[in-house]
Amino acid sequence: MISVDEARERILAFFARLPGERQGVLDALGQVLADDVVAPFDIPPLDNTAMDGYAVRAADTSGASEASPRELRVVADLAAGYILETPVRPGEAVRIMTGAPMPPGSDAVVPFEETDEPLRGPNEAPTKGGSVRVFKAAHPAANIRFRAEDVHAGQVVIPAGRVLRASEVGVLASMGLTEVTVYRRPVVAILSTGDEVTEPGQPLKPGHIYDANAYSVAAMVRACGGTPWLLGIARDTVEDLTAMIRKGLSADMIVTSAGVSRGDFDVVKDVLAREGSIDFWTVRMKPGKPLAFGAFTAPDGRRVPHLGLPGNPVSSMVSFELFGRPAIFTMLGRSDWERPVIRAITRDAVVNSDGRRFFARCIVTRGEDGRWYADLTGPQGSGILTSMSAANALTIIPEDQPEARPGDEIDVMMLDWEHAP
Ligand code: AMP
Ligand code: MG
């Protein structure tokens, strides 16, 4: 038996980040930037107003108060997107809307709220040729967003290696970019095996089951940034399995489920061994334990890594979480595959009698005392997929810890912060 960490180390040694590709900025969400992104111009490109109000010469408002307003002549009305070239002279003001570039000569903006504009009736706002009363002195630079205060032309705005989130996508768009170079998303071919496994949507024969694994794994692949490619279901025959695996050899990785446990009827092992070099491991973990890892050889000589997951639906998901997801992250150029692990107080007893690391499905919530609590999601059999669906975390009970008692603090690995079921 090998430990979870050793299995993961051996697997990750096989993977490297994929080559860069040009990608639309929105589609690059979750991908890693391959090159520094350098600002092509200043942001903002010009000094502009942060408020709706009046662009003024601050000195003209000196000493203004409600009791002693300053009256300024309105010489223009300026919306965002327009430029005024005529300078603002002493005693003048330009009615200006948020985002509009500051007119020359002005050095402050007085918000509407500090003028008599709100006191006037509808449709009676001061317009060009009218006048406005200012009730409060403006400091020079008040309510101005200065040119380049966010980004200087030539500055590295997003460094290579950064994972693109919504904010990076926004920054890229703000620089007018439509594409960026990111490490390619891996295509992950997914193959279910077993005579009893049936495609959802097809009639179910007695004794058969629907294919849960291909879909749960495909969803995990997509959630972590890969592109799932469902190959279908291979019957437990040498011919069928061989043909299906060969079909998937253009992928960056092939994930199969079932047929890797010792002493079962399946032909998976024999075929895998013939089509490539595969190791069969027993990993010191629960759920899961049998795991296959190796590589097939594509017709062009390329080695295509293969991860063989156990057939039980929970084992399959947990094994993919522990080994497949880090592999996908690595291909994406990401090293942050480690899930957040926090300490939580278990409210249930967790029995771990057979010396394996126990990833029990649990719900982690914050108690009224502000501490984190873990509740098991009921029966923990590795075929009980709803125990996974009811969970937002997995316990990490170490191999050498035979039990955790109610009230004990344990490590839990958060799978999902957002959806506490
Ligand atoms: P095996 O690894 O082939 O011995 O399968 C272990 C268990 O997982 C059996 O009960 C299978 O029926 C079940 N199983 C195998 N493949 C799938 C699948 N794709 N979806 C759901 N259950 C499966
Ligand atoms: Mg089987």
Side-chain angles (χ1 to χ4, degrees):
M1 282 221 269
I2 60 173
S3 70
V4 169
D5 311 276
E6 187 183 346
R8 185 160 44 215
E9 243 168 64
R10 286 203 213 167
I11 289 169
L12 290 187
F14 201 95
F15 289 89
R17 72 178 181 218
L18 297 176
E21 65 174 356
R22 294 292 286 171
Q23 179 74 287
V25 292
L26 182 52
D27 292 327
L29 183 68
Q31 285 180 280
V32 174
L33 204 56
D35 301 318
D36 289 344
V37 170
V38 172
F41 49 77
D42 292 334
I43 302 176
L46 297 169
D47 297 350
N48 67 91
T49 172
M51 303 276 284
D52 292 340
Y54 289 87
V56 300
R57 301 168 73 99
D60 285 349
T61 66
S62 161
S65 68
E66 295 214 7
S68 164
R70 297 286 174 271
E71 185 154 338
L72 300 173
R73 202 156 59 80
V74 180
V75 292
D77 207 329
L78 192 59
Y82 298 88
I83 289 197
L84 188 70
E85 276 162 7
T86 336
V88 175
R89 287 169 305 187
E92 292 180 350
V94 170
R95 190 164 180 272
I96 193 168
M97 301 303 137
T98 304
M102 293 296 291
S106 65
D107 62 358
V109 172
V110 180
F112 286 155
E113 300 72 29
E114 294 171 11
T115 71
D116 65 349
E117 179 161 335
L119 308 177
R120 307 185 186 207
N123 305 321
E124 283 174 34
T127 44
K128 186 172 169 181
S131 67
V132 65
R133 296 163 137 237
V134 173
F135 295 135
K136 209 171 155 193
H139 297 291
N143 301 312
I144 298 177
R145 304 190 285 216
F146 287 98
R147 172 180 180 160
E149 76 175 18
D150 187 0
V151 172
H152 290 278
Q155 173 192 335
V156 173
V157 197
I158 312 177
R162 181 73 71 75
V163 179
L164 301 180
R165 304 165 304 160
S167 21
E168 283 75 25
V169 169
V171 168
L172 293 169
S174 77
M175 293 186 300
L177 299 176
T178 56
E179 287 189 343
V180 277
T181 305
V182 287
Y183 299 114
R184 190 164 69 67
R185 290 185 194 281
V187 174
V188 180
I190 299 164
L191 178 61
S192 297
T193 69
D195 286 346
E196 78 281 28
V197 182
T198 305
E199 182 65 31
Q202 299 299 314
L204 195 65
K205 293 193 194 126
H208 286 219
I209 53 164
Y210 282 123
D211 182 0
N213 296 350
Y215 286 88
S216 57
V217 169
M220 294 171 89
V221 167
R222 186 175 289 169
C224 68
T227 304
W229 173 21
L230 294 174
L231 293 177
I233 303 160
R235 302 284 142 239
D236 285 321
T237 67
V238 174
E239 299 71 39
D240 203 25
L241 197 54
T242 307
M244 295 284 247
I245 285 171
R246 290 187 180 163
K247 192 171 100 181
L249 289 177
S250 63
D252 296 297
M253 176 184 188
I254 297 182
V255 178
T256 58
S257 73
V260 294
S261 52
R262 194 174 304 219
D264 59 23
F265 165 77
D266 306 336
V267 294
V268 173
K269 284 197 240 186
D270 297 341
V271 174
L272 298 184
R274 238 171 1 93
E275 294 295 302
S277 56
I278 307 290
D279 284 330
F280 293 91
W281 297 335
T282 46
V283 184
R284 207 173 289 124
M285 60 184 278
K286 183 170 64 184
K289 182 157 93 176
L291 189 77
F293 183 73
F296 300 120
T297 307
D300 62 0
R302 204 169 51 91
R303 307 266 288 150
V304 186
H306 165 240
L307 180 64
L309 304 171
N312 277 311
V314 177
S315 309
S316 154
M317 283 192 80
V318 173
S319 302
F320 187 83
E321 165 66 33
L322 297 177
F323 308 113
R325 184 175 172 275
I328 290 177
F329 268 52
T330 305
M331 287 189 275
L332 282 166
R334 298 179 62 160
S335 53
D336 57 339
W337 47 262
E338 202 89 57
R339 296 279 197 185
V341 173
I342 62 170
R343 300 286 284 169
I345 297 158
T346 179
R347 280 196 275 234
D348 295 309
V350 192
V351 179
N352 187 34
S353 46
D354 54 0
R356 295 191 274 163
R357 195 176 299 176
F358 189 14
F359 299 99
R361 278 72 74 200
C362 63
I363 303 168
V364 172
T365 45
R366 209 198 265 277
E368 277 175 11
D369 58 3
R371 297 198 290 174
W372 294 101
Y373 287 89
D375 297 279
L376 297 190
T377 61
Q380 296 289 316
S382 56
I384 300 177
L385 192 50
T386 51
S387 72
M388 197 70 191
S389 139
N392 65 354
L394 298 173
T395 69
I396 308 177
I397 308 293
E399 294 79 339
D400 58 0
Q401 185 182 326
E403 69 167 335
R405 278 168 303 196
D408 286 352
E409 236 188 33
I410 58 170
D411 277 341
V412 293
M413 176 175 136
M414 298 305 299
L415 299 177
D416 201 342
W417 287 106
E418 287 146 46
H419 315 105

